[in-house]
Amino acid sequence: MSYLNHSYKRVRIIDLTFSSALLLLAAMLVLAYHIRIEVAQSNRLTEHTYEVIMSVDQLNNSLLQAESSRRGYVLTGNQQEKARCLSFSQRTEDNFQELKKLTLDNGSQQGRLNRLQEYMNRKLTIFRLSMNAYDRKGFDPESQAQFTEEGSTLMGYLRNGIQDIKTHEKGLLAVRRAEEQTSLMVLTMVILSGMLISFILLSLSYYIARRETRNHILAADELESANRDISDLSNMTQLLQTCSDFEEARSILAGYGNKFFSGDSGGIYLINSSRTLMADVAVWGNMEQAPFSPDQCWALRLGQPHLSAKETDVRCQHVATKEGAHLCIPLSAHHETLGTLDLHHPKEMTAAELEKLRAKATSFAEQVALAIRSLQLREQLRELSIRDPLTGLLNRRHMEESLLREISRATRTKQPLSVLMMDVDHFKHFNDTYGHEAGDHVLKEFGHLLQNQVRESDIACRFGGEEFTLILPEADCDTASDIGNRIRSAVMDLQLVVGRQPLGRVTISGGIAVFPEDGDTIQQLLARSDEALYDAKKNGRNRIEGSCAAAAVAAKGKADK
């Protein structure tokens, strides 16, 4: 009953752990979905702000062109200049109306535009009055000077008003970018840097109009690159979530590492179970690095990314070369450090390139850490589902599956198959005398002995309580008897001590059943081996019973002694 209670508790723990893993996966999917929505919304708002700034620049350009054409007309009388002035005046009004439509959702901007409209209408009126005066009486320096003076004053107001509008839009852009940074955290650092670069280049377009197109192209490239990175991260995470073991994950990590950091060498290193050694899981590029201790990596010692890009920078001891830039990032998930992501760039990099590499590598490392931890949890769950936690041997459920598979194989290949059932002699008396802790120690040591004594093809299982089962493929009864007696002798040589108390000599008894002579089903083989085990107990224990000659000889020798 105690064993069953422990089994039920282990099942509940497995259910809880598995459910927690599913909830974590669902939370990650929901988070990824919201991040995509926020990215799309933020992109739309940012594009709208850029459109407003471009419209403001176009309005300012039209005013400047109209002013230049008016001056050319009153100085030269060239009708083409007059036509250009009228054309740019109309374009100014169109640009202004377009700007009002773009800022309908912004009351403060509408107020600024209303104030700006008064100056703009007066400015356009001066254009027409100046040209009409020229048409009536030719060039009049006094009147034209008056128009020019008033126009210059109005142009100053217009510049200030346009600058206020642009300043407000820049402020809105800064606020939206801050909100985007809060929502996306590290995953959007690349996008934010691209938007920052786009914003800086766009501000320069006020002075250099020809760079506007280039700014948009650069921004689009950055956004496209960031979207590709996010999509690739999502695909990589999905593939890693479906991996069955680390061998499958190795090729995926190496492939995506080479794709993300093209031209760079890199590797992913994990800490072993004793936390004394770092071994590579995946490498790409020219990265060739022997296993190293965690103390040799500054990133693990500091608990944060460590970058060494200059000769004066402190480099990790596991980094062999002093050329180029080297970046180490800890892989952490669920408050546990799993390993490091190491990247090496062979050439010198600017500060901006280093920051971009750090941001991109951080995003990559976060996804890799979560996927690796998930894979570790799945492997732990798989081990818990097939192994007995005390002895480390396969449990009864997996034993029955293995025996069914070996029966099918033996039937197909016409090879023998033996089942050896073993039991620790006087185990109940042993427990009553020395306590359950000593009993568990005996079972644990016997389990370790089985793992060391059997062949690679043999399958050692804990049947239940103090009973153990060996499945021996391609072993007839004599071979099974030899193996059983070798194990029996090794058990007798065990020196078992709990604390400072010696436990005395421990013996085992065993029974052999052979396929197909003793049965051709799981139930028949287990029942026959259990009967043989019962005979061994009845005949004096510390013996292996079976229908074969070797077992009979061994039993006879035991009786003669």
Side-chain angles (χ1 to χ4, degrees):
M1 183 61 69
S2 175
Y3 175 77
L4 290 177
N5 288 336
H6 286 301
S7 297
Y8 292 146
K9 289 180 180 179
R10 287 193 294 270
V11 169
R12 286 196 296 269
I13 293 174
I14 292 173
D15 290 340
L16 179 60
T17 307
F18 186 72
S19 300
S20 299
L22 289 179
L23 288 175
L24 177 60
L25 179 60
M28 291 173 59
L29 292 175
V30 171
L31 179 60
Y33 173 75
H34 284 294
I35 288 176
R36 287 184 175 273
I37 292 177
E38 291 179 3
V39 168
Q41 178 66 20
S42 178
N43 285 341
R44 286 195 295 269
L45 292 175
T46 302
E47 289 174 2
H48 178 267
T49 304
Y50 285 145
E51 189 175 358
V52 172
I53 294 176
M54 285 181 60
S55 182
V56 172
D57 287 340
Q58 290 172 356
L59 175 63
N60 188 56
N61 253 355
S62 298
L63 276 172
L64 292 175
Q65 292 290 346
E67 173 65 24
S68 177
S69 299
R70 181 199 70 83
R71 290 181 180 178
Y73 177 65
V74 298
L75 291 175
T76 64
N78 189 338
Q79 291 296 323
Q80 290 182 353
E81 294 292 337
K82 179 179 180 180
R84 289 181 74 251
C85 179
L86 294 176
S87 175
F88 280 112
S89 297
Q90 182 60 43
R91 189 177 299 179
T92 299
E93 294 179 351
D94 295 341
N95 290 339
F96 185 81
Q97 294 303 322
E98 181 182 359
L99 186 58
K100 290 200 70 173
K101 290 180 181 179
L102 290 174
T103 57
L104 282 175
D105 59 340
N106 193 324
S108 61
Q109 288 290 63
Q110 287 288 300
R112 293 184 182 90
L113 288 173
N114 289 335
R115 292 191 296 271
L116 188 66
Q117 187 172 16
E118 298 177 5
Y119 299 125
M120 187 191 71
N121 290 339
R122 179 57 184 164
K123 180 68 175 176
L124 296 178
T125 301
I126 288 176
F127 290 163
R128 290 191 293 271
L129 291 176
S130 176
M131 290 187 294
N132 289 340
Y134 181 84
D135 291 338
R136 288 195 309 271
K137 51 185 178 181
F139 180 74
D140 183 4
E142 183 178 350
S143 61
Q144 292 299 334
Q146 184 178 357
F147 287 134
T148 300
E149 181 179 359
E150 184 177 357
S152 298
T153 302
L154 290 172
M155 196 63 181
Y157 293 151
L158 287 171
R159 285 197 185 97
N160 292 336
I162 289 173
Q163 186 61 39
D164 287 343
I165 293 173
K166 288 189 67 174
T167 301
H168 180 76
E169 288 299 326
K170 291 179 181 178
L172 288 178
L173 182 61
V175 170
R176 288 166 181 168
R177 290 178 60 208
E179 292 175 351
E180 181 180 328
Q181 183 178 10
T182 302
S183 302
L184 301 180
M185 298 171 62
V186 179
L187 291 177
T188 58
M189 291 181 66
V190 175
I191 297 177
L192 287 175
S193 63
M195 292 176 61
L196 179 59
I197 294 173
S198 299
F199 174 74
I200 294 174
L201 293 176
L202 189 59
S203 64
L204 292 177
S205 68
Y206 180 78
Y207 306 98
I208 309 174
R210 292 181 60 185
R211 295 188 180 179
E212 291 182 1
T213 303
R214 181 186 175 190
N215 292 346
H216 287 291
I217 293 175
L218 291 175
D221 289 343
E222 288 291 338
L223 290 174
E224 184 179 357
S225 176
N227 287 333
R228 283 199 305 268
D229 289 345
I230 293 175
S231 177
D232 288 340
L233 279 175
S234 177
N235 293 335
M236 181 191 69
T237 302
Q238 186 176 8
L239 289 173
L240 291 175
Q241 291 291 344
T242 57
C243 287
S244 59
D245 52 39
F246 276 100
E247 285 302 318
E248 289 185 355
R250 181 188 299 270
S251 60
I252 295 174
L253 290 171
Y256 274 91
N258 192 39
K259 183 176 182 180
F260 266 86
F261 308 103
S262 179
D264 297 341
S265 301
I268 296 172
Y269 298 83
L270 297 185
I271 304 177
N272 63 359
S273 57
S274 60
R275 308 191 74 80
T276 58
L277 193 66
M278 301 285 295
D280 66 278
V281 173
V283 294
W284 57 89
N286 298 323
M287 179 68 74
E288 294 183 2
Q289 185 166 285
F292 57 94
S293 67
D295 290 339
Q296 293 179 299
C297 182
W298 283 107
L300 289 178
R301 294 170 67 176
L302 297 174
Q304 62 185 17
H306 182 71
L307 175 66
S308 52
K310 302 177 182 177
E311 293 184 359
T312 56
D313 291 341
V314 177
R315 291 182 179 258
C316 296
Q317 298 178 23
H318 60 86
V319 179
T321 178
K322 295 185 177 298
E323 298 179 354
H326 195 94
L327 175 64
C328 293
I329 299 179
L331 298 178
S332 300
H334 307 165
H335 307 289
E336 180 179 355
T337 300
L338 309 176
T340 61
L341 166 65
D342 288 8
L343 292 174
H344 179 73
H345 189 82
K347 300 179 181 179
E348 292 186 1
M349 303 177 69
T350 64
E353 290 173 337
L354 288 173
E355 184 60 28
K356 184 176 180 180
L357 177 64
R358 184 201 295 267
K360 190 172 183 178
T362 301
S363 300
F364 182 79
E366 287 181 350
Q367 295 301 314
V368 168
L370 289 173
I372 287 177
R373 185 54 183 158
S374 178
L375 185 58
Q376 289 178 341
L377 289 174
R378 290 204 306 273
E379 287 193 347
Q380 292 173 7
L381 286 174
R382 184 163 56 248
E383 286 295 313
L384 286 173
S385 66
I386 66 174
R387 292 199 177 273
D388 172 59
L390 177 63
T391 62
L393 302 178
L394 298 175
N395 58 26
R396 179 170 179 173
R397 180 178 67 84
H398 194 73
M399 179 271 293
E400 293 177 351
E401 294 176 357
S402 301
L403 182 55
L404 180 61
R405 183 177 62 252
E406 294 301 329
I407 289 175
S408 300
R409 182 182 300 170
T411 303
R412 185 172 61 255
T413 60
K414 306 300 182 181
Q415 293 291 329
L417 171 67
S418 296
V419 176
L420 175 59
M421 185 80 75
M422 291 172 289
D423 183 294
V424 179
D425 294 331
H426 302 294
F427 187 74
K428 184 177 184 304
H429 175 72
F430 190 92
N431 261 349
D432 293 341
T433 303
Y434 297 103
H436 290 287
E437 181 180 356
D440 288 345
H441 180 69
V442 171
L443 295 179
K444 184 176 181 180
E445 290 298 320
F446 182 54
H448 292 167
L449 183 144
L450 279 182
Q451 291 176 327
N452 295 327
Q453 291 290 329
V454 299
R455 305 170 301 175
E456 289 186 3
S457 60
D458 298 339
I459 304 172
C461 311
R462 183 181 180 185
F463 190 79
E466 68 273 18
E467 292 185 332
F468 297 81
T469 304
L470 276 181
I471 302 174
L472 307 172
E474 301 181 6
D476 56 15
C477 187
D478 290 332
T479 302
S481 180
D482 291 340
I483 295 173
N485 281 296
R486 184 174 71 245
I487 294 172
R488 182 179 61 81
S489 298
V491 171
M492 294 175 61
D493 294 336
L494 285 175
Q495 301 293 328
L496 299 177
V497 178
V498 175
R500 296 184 177 180
Q501 180 180 10
L503 302 181
R505 192 176 73 168
V506 178
T507 62
I508 62 168
S509 300
I512 301 171
V514 182
F515 171 86
E517 290 83 354
D518 294 326
D520 56 4
T521 66
I522 295 177
Q523 292 77 14
Q524 291 173 350
L525 289 173
L526 291 178
R528 183 65 192 91
S529 61
D530 194 54
E531 290 175 4
L533 173 61
Y534 179 76
D535 292 340
K537 294 283 188 180
K538 183 174 64 175
N539 293 333
R541 294 182 172 83
N542 191 21
R543 60 196 297 133
I544 305 297
E545 291 283 353
S547 59
C548 52
V553 171
K556 185 176 184 304
K558 174 75 168 53
D560 293 341
K561 291 180 180 180

